[in-house]
Amino acid sequence: MKMIQAIRSMALAALSMGCVAAQQPAPYGPVPTDQQVDWLRMEWYAFVHFSLNTFTNKEWGYGDESPELFNPGQFNARDIVATFKEAGMTGMIYTAKHHDGWCAWPTRSTSHSIKKSPWKNGKGDVVKEFAEACAKSGIKFGTYLSPWDRNCAEYGRDGYRKVYYRQIAELLQNYGPIFEIWFDGANGGDGFYGGARERRNIGSADKYYDFAQVVRNIRRMQPDCIIWGAAQRGDAGWGGSEKGFVKYPLWNSRGDKWLMLEGDTPINHAGWFWHPGQAGRVKTPEHLMNVYLSSVGRGANLILNVAPNRDGVLDAADVESLLSFGAARRQLLAKDYALGAATSSSSAPYSKKTRARELTDGDIESYWCPEDGSTEPSVEFKLKQKETFDVIRLREQIRLGQRVESFKVEAKVNDNWVTIVEPGKQGEQESGFDVRGGKGHTIGNQVLRWLKEPVTSDHLRLTITASKAVPCISEFSLLRMPRMLPKPAIERKGDTLHVESNDAYRIFYTTDGSTPTDKSPEYQEPVKFSTPGVVKAVYMDREDGSLGPVSTLNLGYSKSDWKSDGAEAAYDDDAMTHWQGDAAPASFVVDMGRSQEIAAFSYLPRQDKTTAGMTDQYKLELSTDGKNWREAAEGEFSNLRANPIELKVNIEPREARYFRFTAMRALDGQGVTVAELNLFPAEKNSEPARKKKKTKKR
Ligand code: FUL
């Protein structure tokens, strides 16, 4: 590997100095290292959040959690890794230490580790088991080591650096090759800190951790390891949302550095760690395809989190969705209709090695490059026969730098050229999951453009409409998206259930927790439903009768009789409105109109893309008479800034008619906000014996 790299760099250097007759153009701007190229070719891999938080129902542990909690009775790394492999994932990254500071390997840097956990009598090592399972099954292993450590007494002081460096060294020196190390950007704040229970801020993370030194150490220990984060001193960084998408156009060249992006997201809406009752919140394969197209399909990589539960096993619902997305991805990539197509270019090639035919030869290294000075060069493709496709894939030869700014694709349909991918214009930006019908901006490692409608043609034309230097394109592919059924959105407004309709599908639903089938009631119009419970709905394809994935809505108590003095927006069943209180601590009291058992509550932070006032520390009190209050829960809503999802807290079940919610602390801004609260009774077992009776009643 190193040898090849050396030869390549010498060749590139010689070429750029003009010492050799130019068979290929000189590199433009920064170029990736071989390790960065290898990393981009991995496309997608798993994130595994699994630690004490799995057992505490938290997203961020405070640092005082007992290591005794970690005891995943059925954990078997090989089964988990086998699932990733079956899905087509190329690696996994494990959270060896999250913000709470508990280490999942027998580190010598702290006693807050797996050595104190009952699992395998304190002799266990989750890092080792995952690393070995990956090596055996042939996927790559990487590690996440949170810089923030809410347990360590030395955090925020000089002493912690030593602890942290030691942890990095242990992970990089004892577990074989590490393909990527992840340095989370969440740093500083309150925590246990050896009992101090205070707030510690570190100022500049780059200075505090001395990331320049960290990067040097890592390069020495594992030269092939991709460094994620580290204040942009690494090789790759955050895609910008924890929904998984990255913004497009995407440039890997930042100044004189090649910096890559990774879209990150959990497969389950419940969060990064496993949470009780999350089965109904798994993302559908169709949603995952959108995540894939808006990360990998925009030139980044995708890291998709799949979290083991308290037994140490992946939830069946997560696995099902992961595997069916994996199968759909495989199907999408299985056939390239442009492979072997005849080509002709508008310009002479740069050299005889860079002819247009390299675009359809299935070789990712060879590339088409027109001669210098070609303006808007284009290539026509003649397929052997008419084919139907709806996804266009292009790849640049990134070893020569990223060049293309915009491109256009046309297809000949009924003897007319039709533009199927419009060239992108400067200043435009694609974000979110809006992937259908996207324009042609950057290419980079690869771009996937999903057309609004399938196209049938045997004659296509690619035009590079703007490029920073003569374009070097390695592949032009035509793919077909497999059919994937979406799931219907369900919502309750007041006491009425609404299920999202779509002309192409019939809708079946249940309200007793059972899985809907074509024998379940058919949804025709909004349905009255005022009790707590689990509503499920599914689409059935009108054409072929197939059923899609099931949507689940876990409903709390009806809120139509709730009364308060001005906090209605916090329980109006509208995620887009929010209660605005004064500066924290600020509270409101709700009279629920009747006494009922409260066993859990959920909080939704504001959803309007601002973090101002998001309540990140709360207290919930309950009362039967509105005068005497008992505290039911107090704690933290974590990670709201990066991932503002609905968070559910279980409490000791208690009868109450009134509740008082206090926002103890808030992010940013002056006042506090709450988008929505729900209160729940104790969960019944999902498939109850009285299921049939209930169905008959309707
Ligand atoms: C974030 C963390 O704070 C989350 O808990 C999670 O680990 C995610 C991958 O990164 O910044």
Side-chain angles (χ1 to χ4, degrees):
M1 165 82 107
K2 277 201 195 116
M3 182 71 138
I4 297 175
Q5 199 177 340
I7 294 173
R8 200 168 274 145
S9 338
M10 274 161 56
L12 288 178
L15 278 172
S16 50
M17 288 184 313
C19 302
V20 180
Q23 292 280 306
Q24 61 176 36
Y28 176 83
V31 293
T33 59
D34 281 352
Q35 289 81 355
Q36 287 180 311
V37 173
D38 289 348
W39 184 84
L40 281 167
R41 298 214 171 135
M42 288 179 71
E43 281 198 10
W44 74 306
Y45 32 84
F47 218 160
V48 177
H49 279 62
F50 181 46
S51 84
L52 292 182
N53 292 351
T54 312
F55 296 83
T56 57
N57 195 17
K58 287 186 193 170
E59 280 287 281
W60 288 356
Y62 188 70
D64 60 351
E65 295 77 17
S66 167
E68 297 261 327
L69 293 169
F70 190 82
N71 200 4
Q74 294 167 42
F75 174 70
N76 182 341
R78 261 180 274 164
D79 290 347
I80 294 175
V81 168
T83 302
F84 296 156
K85 176 127 193 199
E86 191 182 338
M89 290 169 135
T90 52
M92 64 157 274
I93 294 185
Y94 173 53
T95 53
K97 178 185 86 170
H98 203 252
H99 308 328
D100 61 283
W102 176 82
C103 296
W105 78 102
T107 177
R108 294 169 76 178
S109 64
T110 170
S111 57
H112 194 55
S113 80
I114 201 154
K115 282 202 226 168
K116 290 244 181 87
S117 299
W119 185 63
K120 302 204 166 173
N121 295 319
K123 302 265 181 299
D125 184 343
V126 183
V127 178
K128 182 162 180 256
E129 298 205 10
F130 272 131
E132 286 179 0
C134 286
K136 263 216 173 84
S137 76
I139 69 169
K140 294 188 182 177
F141 178 67
T143 185
Y144 164 114
L145 183 70
S146 168
W148 187 20
D149 189 322
R150 299 174 99 184
N151 173 266
C152 183
E154 287 301 303
Y155 182 79
R157 305 182 182 140
D158 284 347
Y160 175 65
R161 246 189 313 271
K162 228 171 144 190
V163 173
Y164 193 56
Y165 289 179
R166 180 168 206 157
Q167 293 175 346
I168 296 174
E170 286 179 357
L171 291 172
L172 295 188
Q173 292 179 323
N174 298 326
Y175 297 98
I178 302 287
F179 84 93
E180 177 175 343
I181 184 162
W182 232 83
F183 294 108
D184 205 312
N187 272 307
D190 61 352
F192 177 65
Y193 305 129
R197 296 185 182 278
E198 59 188 13
R199 205 175 169 81
R200 293 190 185 169
N201 288 318
I202 54 160
S204 151
D206 193 24
K207 280 207 189 105
Y208 176 65
Y209 298 103
D210 193 355
F211 276 129
Q213 185 58 41
V214 169
V215 167
R216 275 194 296 275
N217 292 350
I218 297 173
R219 301 272 190 241
R220 203 173 12 85
M221 292 183 272
Q222 294 249 4
D224 291 339
C225 179
I226 291 296
I227 301 170
W228 187 101
Q232 307 238 338
R233 287 181 186 276
D235 309 290
W238 192 38
S241 83
E242 291 189 0
K243 292 191 165 78
F245 59 79
V246 302
K247 290 182 182 145
Y248 179 76
L250 185 155
W251 287 99
N252 288 127
S253 35
R254 310 270 162 91
D256 57 357
K257 208 178 143 103
W258 184 268
L259 193 72
M260 310 171 298
L261 292 186
E262 198 182 59
D264 66 331
T265 200
I267 197 167
N268 199 293
H269 285 290
W272 290 97
F273 285 90
W274 180 87
H275 295 278
Q278 69 168 34
R281 300 183 71 186
V282 63
K283 297 175 183 172
T284 59
E286 187 235 3
H287 178 89
L288 297 176
M289 183 58 87
N290 282 324
V291 172
Y292 178 77
L293 292 172
S294 57
S295 52
V296 174
R298 288 179 181 156
N301 271 6
L302 168 64
I303 181 163
L304 179 65
N305 189 73
V306 196
N309 59 26
R310 289 179 185 163
D311 290 329
V313 175
L314 300 179
D315 268 8
D318 287 4
V319 171
E320 193 188 323
S321 193
L322 174 66
L323 293 181
S324 36
F325 163 67
R329 172 184 168 271
R330 212 170 275 137
Q331 213 179 319
L332 168 70
L333 305 178
K335 187 154 171 62
D336 173 2
Y337 296 100
L339 196 67
T343 53
S344 62
S345 170
S346 64
S347 330
Y350 190 93
S351 80
K352 60 178 192 297
K353 288 199 160 169
T354 68
R355 295 200 168 110
R357 63 174 180 225
E358 309 295 344
L359 285 165
T360 54
D361 67 349
D363 178 353
I364 203 168
E365 291 294 349
S366 67
Y367 59 93
W368 161 65
C369 177
E371 66 185 350
D372 266 335
S374 317
T375 39
E376 301 215 353
S378 65
V379 175
E380 286 190 27
F381 303 87
K382 277 267 182 65
L383 315 188
K384 288 194 191 84
Q385 66 212 35
K386 282 203 170 111
E387 300 286 2
T388 303
F389 48 85
D390 53 7
V391 176
I392 314 278
R393 181 178 64 198
L394 285 166
R395 291 180 186 275
E396 258 181 282
Q397 174 42 288
I398 51 174
R399 292 185 199 278
L400 294 168
Q402 194 180 353
R403 297 152 177 257
V404 174
E405 297 171 272
S406 69
F407 65 89
K408 171 165 86 172
V409 182
E410 296 156 286
K412 209 169 220 182
V413 181
N414 300 332
D415 279 337
N416 292 319
W417 283 111
V418 181
T419 302
I420 56 173
V421 179
E422 297 257 0
K425 293 200 192 82
Q426 253 199 349
E428 289 172 340
Q429 194 176 55
E430 205 179 277
S431 186
F433 301 119
D434 195 9
V435 285
R436 236 101 194 222
K439 295 193 176 175
H441 288 272
T442 48
I443 300 179
N445 179 53
Q446 69 174 307
V447 68
L448 293 157
R449 302 280 77 191
W450 188 8
L451 311 180
K452 279 229 160 81
E453 299 293 336
V455 169
T456 303
S457 174
D458 57 359
H459 196 171
L460 289 105
R461 181 161 62 202
L462 164 70
T463 308
I464 304 301
T465 41
S467 187
K468 295 192 169 181
V470 63
C472 299
I473 317 286
S474 62
E475 261 188 79
F476 174 85
S477 305
L478 300 171
L479 311 171
R480 185 78 207 253
M481 182 62 76
R483 262 173 67 80
M484 299 173 84
L485 259 55
K487 68 176 184 182
I490 316 170
E491 60 169 4
R492 180 164 74 181
K493 286 259 175 210
D495 286 342
T496 309
L497 286 176
H498 302 258
V499 186
E500 184 191 9
S501 322
N502 181 316
D503 288 347
Y505 312 116
R506 291 169 68 188
I507 304 168
F508 297 93
Y509 73 101
T510 62
T511 52
D512 62 357
S514 63
T515 303
T517 65
D518 54 359
K519 309 272 174 317
S520 306
E522 183 163 359
Y523 176 88
Q524 310 278 8
E525 57 186 20
V527 178
K528 280 262 160 257
F529 189 76
S530 56
T531 60
V534 179
V535 180
K536 296 189 178 184
V538 71
Y539 280 142
M540 182 208 251
D541 194 309
R542 286 189 191 276
E543 265 174 39
D544 64 10
S546 61
L547 292 176
V550 175
S551 8
T552 303
L553 183 65
N554 202 339
L555 289 162
Y557 287 110
S558 156
K559 296 181 268 189
S560 37
D561 293 339
W562 291 14
K563 292 202 168 49
S564 70
D565 190 6
E568 291 75 15
Y571 54 84
D572 59 357
D573 287 327
D574 186 346
M576 295 317 290
T577 62
H578 60 263
W579 166 69
Q580 174 77 56
D582 295 337
S587 31
F588 60 86
V589 171
V590 173
D591 174 359
M592 298 184 284
R594 67 184 72 84
S595 185
Q596 47 205 11
E597 185 202 49
I598 311 298
F601 77 100
S602 71
Y603 157 76
L604 181 77
R606 62 190 299 176
Q607 298 293 299
D608 53 0
K609 299 204 166 85
T610 32
T611 51
M614 281 184 175
T615 302
D616 76 333
Q617 255 180 28
Y618 67 86
K619 184 156 80 181
L620 182 79
E621 294 159 288
L622 298 174
S623 167
T624 47
D625 57 10
K627 291 184 194 106
N628 300 298
W629 295 95
R630 278 178 68 183
E631 186 176 311
E634 180 161 10
E636 173 185 272
F637 295 127
S638 321
N639 201 21
L640 301 178
R641 228 181 266 287
N643 199 20
I645 53 173
E646 182 179 41
L647 296 162
K648 195 167 174 188
V649 180
N650 291 330
I651 60 177
E652 179 101 4
R654 195 175 298 156
E655 284 285 321
R657 172 173 166 167
Y658 301 85
F659 73 84
R660 176 157 65 201
F661 180 84
T662 307
M664 307 286 288
R665 198 181 67 188
L667 299 183
D668 317 329
Q670 300 298 313
V672 298
T673 61
V674 172
E676 201 69 24
L677 287 183
N678 284 295
L679 269 67
F680 300 84
E683 249 174 58
K684 301 197 184 78
N685 289 336
S686 43
E687 301 270 348
R690 47 194 175 76
K691 181 172 79 180
K692 277 193 186 136
K693 236 175 148 188
K694 267 201 162 181
T695 316
K696 268 191 205 155
K697 266 192 199 163
R698 247 192 330 265

